[in-house]
Amino acid sequence: PYFYVYSLDGDEVKVSLHAGDGEAEFIPDPSVYTIDEDGNWTGTSAEDGAERVYSPDGKLLSLTREDRTERYSYDEDGELSASDVTEGDTRTVSEYSEGRLVHSDIYIDGVIQTSRTYNEDGSMEEIRYRDGVKKSLILFDSDGLRIRRVENFR
């Protein structure tokens, strides 16, 4: 779906909003949005109280609600390339390639706890940390459930 809004000088602004892929999940009321100098739309939803920021082409850039903040980045083709989600003292930083999750790191109080790399065959490598120091490497099968190998670091 599309919605159209006209700026104060009469220029038409068209934003395309689609469900999924880090994009809008609803059609916002344009009257509650402001447009910054970069053309980004910012507004707070009356439905859930979340502040959302959209790029001029309708991509969700950030969502802030209570103690949760989500930030999204996109590549030159408009595909999701990174996300950064903070909730309380936990932060998850993820990287995507061609729409597929390829890596994520989980931090608690700024100290890395888990680092995951997702391979093209669906298998996953997980490194677990304690107090920021590598403790173990776990290799999972492509189903993500069965462990193929565990290495412990001293």
Side-chain angles (χ1 to χ4, degrees), residues 53-79:
V53 178
Y54 297 96
S55 66
D57 61 353
K59 300 282 188 188
L60 179 63
L61 299 176
S62 69
L63 181 145
T64 303
R65 179 180 326 139
E66 297 174 11
D67 71 340
R68 182 180 175 94
T69 300
E70 303 173 17
R71 290 187 175 80
Y72 301 96
S73 301
Y74 303 87
D75 63 21
E76 58 277 348
D77 296 325
E79 294 286 329

Side-chain angles (χ1 to χ4, degrees), residues 26-38:
F26 68 100
I27 299 174
D29 176 359
S31 66
V32 298
Y33 280 76
T34 58
I35 303 173
D36 68 18
E37 63 277 356
D38 295 325

Side-chain angles (χ1 to χ4, degrees), residues 79-151:
E79 294 286 329
L80 182 63
S81 61
S83 67
D84 188 331
V85 178
T86 302
E87 187 164 11
D89 61 358
T90 302
R91 178 179 178 210
T92 303
V93 179
S94 301
E95 298 171 30
Y96 300 82
S97 177
E98 298 176 359
R100 184 179 66 81
L101 178 62
V102 294
H103 187 85
S104 67
D105 292 325
I106 300 171
Y107 300 84
I108 297 178
D109 288 328
V111 178
I112 191 162
Q113 303 296 313
T114 304
S115 181
R116 293 182 178 133
T117 301
Y118 301 87
N119 301 311
E120 285 188 33
D121 68 358
S123 63
M124 178 182 69
E125 298 175 13
E126 179 176 286
I127 298 175
R128 294 188 182 171
Y129 296 80
R130 182 173 299 126
D131 299 323
V133 177
K134 282 186 186 181
K135 290 297 175 186
S136 59
L137 168 67
I138 304 169
L139 301 176
F140 291 88
D141 275 339
S142 60
D143 64 7
L145 302 173
R146 292 181 298 226
I147 295 175
R148 288 192 323 206
R149 189 174 88 217
V150 175
E151 292 179 27

